[in-house]
Every structure is written in structure tokens, then in C-alpha cells.
Amino acid sequence: MLENIEYSDYKKREDIHGTVLYPAVMIAPIQNEVLTELIQKNKITSVFDPFHGSGTALYEAMEIDSNLHLVGCDINPLANLITRVKLDGVSKNIKDSLTLLIKHINNPGVVETIKFPNIEKWFRKDIIETLSIIKAAILQIENDNDRRFFWIMLCDCIRKYSNTRSSTYKLHKKESEKIERIENNLIKDYIKAIEQNFKKYEKCTENYILYKRDVLGLLKELPSRIFDISISSPPYGDNATTVPYGQFSMLDLYIIDKRDLELEGWELDNYSIIDRMSLGGNKKETKLGEFEKGLIKPYLDKISIEKQEKVIRFFNDYFVWLEGLCKVTDKFIVLTLGNRTVDRIKINLTEITQKYLESREFKNIEFAEREIPNKRTPKVTSMVDLKPVDSMTKEYIIVHERRK
Ligand SMILES: C[S@@+](CC[C@H](N)C(=O)[O-])C[C@H]1O[C@@H](n2cnc3c(N)ncnc32)[C@H](O)[C@@H]1O
């Protein structure tokens, strides 16, 4: 297992995972390789991804064996929608749905204009009008699977035709000249995306549950040892200073009709709320145990007091998550991890996680590392004492097995 995991020639564009952009996705063939081996050699009936994001691992598990019971969780409603569509697939009549969609786009009638806070900062007026026509047309599609597929096909177009830069996952307005130069080919690009991608959504399973909520609460409620394999890539730090999954998703979430989103009610309150509600984002009382404190102390001692607070807050949640993960997993834990840098100190999340899992009866059986190509998160993320600081460039895959 995991002998050569560079997969430098793997192009997401060719498979389902390249059809919608989501930040920091796992490399599908690696997840497939690990899952295939574990499934072939052990009696596996269930797979759990506690931070499923765009559903890479759950979809790959379905491809390997469509009878597997799949369970996933994510706090971000966009991640929930993308994964749901990947697992539901489209209907057999998708071509008819597309014909109907095009008919409604070409004959829009009276259309309600999309409105949400600061919309004019993020879209040109003509783009808002076009998006409103597309939204009204999608709402005419009665088949739930096809309608949801049409929403997620719109996401990359929303980003492309918005006023935000493509160089970062944060919302960051482009220069005015660049905004003025955008050619409005939105409808053409949108239809093309659907035509190019619907065949990739032919597979489906009914054997899944997705939870749209904070995984820390979910783990408390789930019984012990109910999943054979837990496979995931957790956030590497709080969203605000690492990857802002929430902010990245907000334009889509304001445009997609609420009835097709799984919402708890607070998600659309403002542009930063999903990131604040995510792992390490909320101020909570510190309750690290002595063992956990010992694991992060060597790093804390080397970073400034102001930055220590954020790191402690993240690990506070991270260890609660790991504890819950050990509780619910019966056989294997598979994690893809990155080591982030704070104040030029590399926080070895991989080693910390391995030590924690070993202390909880999960012994390490595999360890592999790979370079991360084409990252949007820049290699140099900030300056300390006027010197640039390296961000993560490698990711690590670890497999732990519960001791017999
Ligand atoms: C590294 S991404 C997962 C990417 C995924 N493996 C993929 O291939 O698309 C981490 C995910 O954790 C989610 N997340 C962060 N904090 C969470 C929490 N407290 N509960 C549930 N999900 C959370 C984020 O929304 C994000 O989708």
C-alpha cells in the first residue's frame, strides 16, 4: 500500500472530482488505493468521513463497493450539497432536464433578481441579471437530483464571473479594469460545463447518510466502534488563518436556492460565520489534558504569545475530534495531513496526531508523504521579522489500525 503516491500526472479534470472546485481536496487515486487494499483484506462494511468536503473519499468508497454504508459530516452546506450530488448522481432523464433548463434560460419571462448583502461588490450588474435568469431556470427543474446537479455545475461559473480573484480562496476584489474586461459568456460556459460533466454523475448509492453540522457534536452522540474505516483530511489550523472553506463558498451559498441547501439557520448570517463556527474558530474554554498539552508544548514555547492563543484554540477542538474519532472507529483510521507554519515554526500535526492515536490503541501501519502540486495557498504566506515564511508544501498519509 502507498508505495508511490506522487500521482504527479493525476488530473482531476478528467474525473468527477474535477467538475467542481473545492479547497484542499484529497487526491482521489490515493484514497482509492488505500481503501481498496483495506477493503480487500478485511471485512469492511462501513466508511466514515468526518470532514467530507467535496466527498472525495466517500465517492471513491462507493466506486470500490456500492454496498458499503457511507457516512459523512461537514459543517459547510456547500460541501454537503456537492457530496450529496456525487453520491445521488443525476437522473436517467438528465438530457431532458437539460433541454428544459436551456428552454427556460432562453425564454426567461419575468425573473426575480438575486439579492444578498454586498452583491454589487462581488458581481457586475449584467452578471447579476444573467445569474438571476439561470437561477429562475434551475428552479423550474422538478427532478431533485438533476436540479441539485445544475446548482453545483453553476459554482465554478459563479466564481469565474464574480469580481473576486482566482489566486486565493479568500474573497478579494480584482482591480476595476479587470472587472470591466470580463466578457459575459456565463450562459455559454454554464451549459458547456453541464454537457461536459453529466456523464461523470451516472453512478449512485442510496446507502449513505450525510450530516450537515459540527462534527464535534455529532461524535458525542454516535455510539462506540460503529465504523470500520474512518478516512478524512481535517483542517490543518483554524479556517481564518489557513483555508477559508466558508468564505470560499459564500457567493455560491447566497445564490443557490435555500430549499436545496441543508441549513441549520445561521450559515448565511455573514461572510465569515462558517469559518468562525469551524474547527478552532470559536473562543471556548481551554480544556486540554496534560498528555495533549505535552504534545503541543514544544511548538508553543517557540511562538509568540499572541499566536499561541489561536494554536491552543485549534488543538483544543482537534483533540476533542481525535478522541471522538477513536471512539467511533472499529478498525482503521486513515488521515491525510499537512503541517502548517506559525511564526516560522513548523507545527508537526502529523507527528502529534500519530502520537495521540498510538496512545489511544491505534498503531501506525502506514506512513507516506507527497509534494503538494498547484496549491492556491501560496508557499510563502506571511512575513515575520520582514522575512518570508514557508507554508505547507507536503502532505502526509497515515494509516492506523486498532490494536487487537
Ligand atoms: C481539508 S477539508 C476536506 C476536504 C475533503 N477531504 C475533500 O477531498 O474534498 C476540511 C473540511 O472540514 C470542514 N470542517 C471544518 N470544521 C468542521 C467542523 N467543526 N465540523 C464539520 N466539518 C468541519 C470544512 O468545511 C472542510 O470542508
Side-chain angles (χ1 to χ4, degrees), residues 22 51 69 126 131 133 139 227 232 248 287 347 390:
Y22 192 74
F51 298 109
H69 179 53
D126 61 307
L131 283 170
I133 291 171
L139 283 170
F227 304 120
S232 205
F248 167 86
K287 45 183 182 289
I347 302 192
D390 263 4

Side-chain angles (χ1 to χ4, degrees), residues 22 25-26 51-54 56 74-75 214-215 233 245 278-279:
Y22 192 74
V25 296
M26 299 198 277
F51 298 109
H52 63 63
S54 63
T56 314
D74 207 291
I75 199 160
D214 183 351
V215 71
S233 62
Y245 302 94
S278 295
L279 213 73

Side-chain angles (χ1 to χ4, degrees), residues 120-316:
E120 267 146 28
K121 175 172 178 191
W122 298 117
F123 295 97
R124 240 173 35 197
K125 265 209 162 90
D126 61 307
I127 305 279
I128 298 175
E129 276 165 29
T130 312
L131 283 170
S132 303
I133 291 171
I134 295 175
K135 177 170 179 170
I138 297 176
L139 283 170
Q140 301 287 329
I141 304 301
E142 278 178 17
N143 182 282
D144 291 340
N145 290 2
D146 294 348
R147 194 181 57 254
R148 289 190 204 114
F149 168 71
F150 290 152
W151 288 127
I152 70 161
M153 283 301 104
L154 187 59
C155 294
D156 286 7
C157 291
I158 291 176
R159 208 149 292 115
K160 179 171 170 193
Y161 286 95
S162 73
N163 298 342
T164 191
R165 293 166 201 235
S166 59
S167 53
T168 163
Y169 291 128
K170 289 205 166 113
L171 290 172
H172 187 191
K173 205 170 166 192
K174 287 179 193 158
E175 295 96 348
S176 319
E177 313 87 75
K178 286 199 178 150
I179 294 173
E180 277 156 33
R181 279 208 303 269
I182 299 174
E183 255 188 76
N184 187 351
N185 292 321
L186 177 48
I187 291 177
K188 205 172 102 212
D189 282 359
Y190 176 52
I191 303 298
K192 194 165 138 204
I194 296 172
E195 285 171 343
Q196 279 177 345
N197 293 324
F198 73 84
K199 282 210 174 77
K200 295 173 186 156
Y201 286 78
E202 274 171 353
K203 294 198 178 126
C204 65
T205 176
E206 286 182 0
N207 202 1
Y208 78 86
I209 303 174
L210 295 183
Y211 295 95
K212 203 309 292 170
R213 57 180 290 193
D214 183 351
V215 71
L216 300 186
L218 173 69
L219 288 169
K220 272 193 215 137
E221 292 164 22
L222 290 175
S224 298
R225 298 177 73 157
I226 48 159
F227 304 120
D228 292 328
I229 299 177
S230 291
I231 181 164
S232 205
S233 62
Y236 310 138
D238 61 294
N239 289 14
T241 58
T242 55
V243 183
Y245 302 94
Q247 206 179 118
F248 167 86
S249 310
M250 284 319 290
L251 299 179
D252 300 332
L253 291 174
Y254 279 130
I255 291 170
I256 296 170
D257 196 78
K258 283 198 191 77
R259 279 165 289 178
D260 280 319
L261 293 171
E262 194 77 40
L263 297 171
E264 293 169 72
W266 48 266
E267 292 88 339
L268 305 179
D269 284 359
N270 58 60
Y271 282 84
S272 54
I273 192 153
I274 297 178
D275 291 324
R276 265 191 287 119
M277 298 294 276
S278 295
L279 213 73
N282 255 335
K283 248 197 174 123
K284 289 180 207 127
E285 235 177 86
T286 308
K287 45 183 182 289
L288 288 176
E290 286 311 309
F291 176 69
E292 289 84 348
K293 271 190 207 152
L295 290 177
I296 61 168
K297 188 170 183 312
Y299 307 100
L300 287 182
D301 288 349
K302 295 190 196 119
I303 63 179
S304 61
I305 300 280
E306 317 90 80
K307 300 244 169 98
Q308 280 183 15
E309 196 192 318
K310 267 198 180 155
V311 174
I312 293 172
R313 203 189 304 163
F314 172 74
F315 276 103
N316 201 8

Side-chain angles (χ1 to χ4, degrees), residues 92-120:
K92 286 198 188 71
N93 302 323
I94 180 69
K95 283 190 184 159
D96 297 339
S97 297
L98 177 56
T99 307
L100 200 61
L101 181 81
I102 295 173
K103 190 182 128 204
H104 287 299
I105 289 176
N106 291 339
N107 307 288
V110 183
V111 161
E112 195 183 326
T113 306
I114 298 172
K115 287 195 190 78
F116 60 80
N118 265 342
I119 185 168
E120 267 146 28

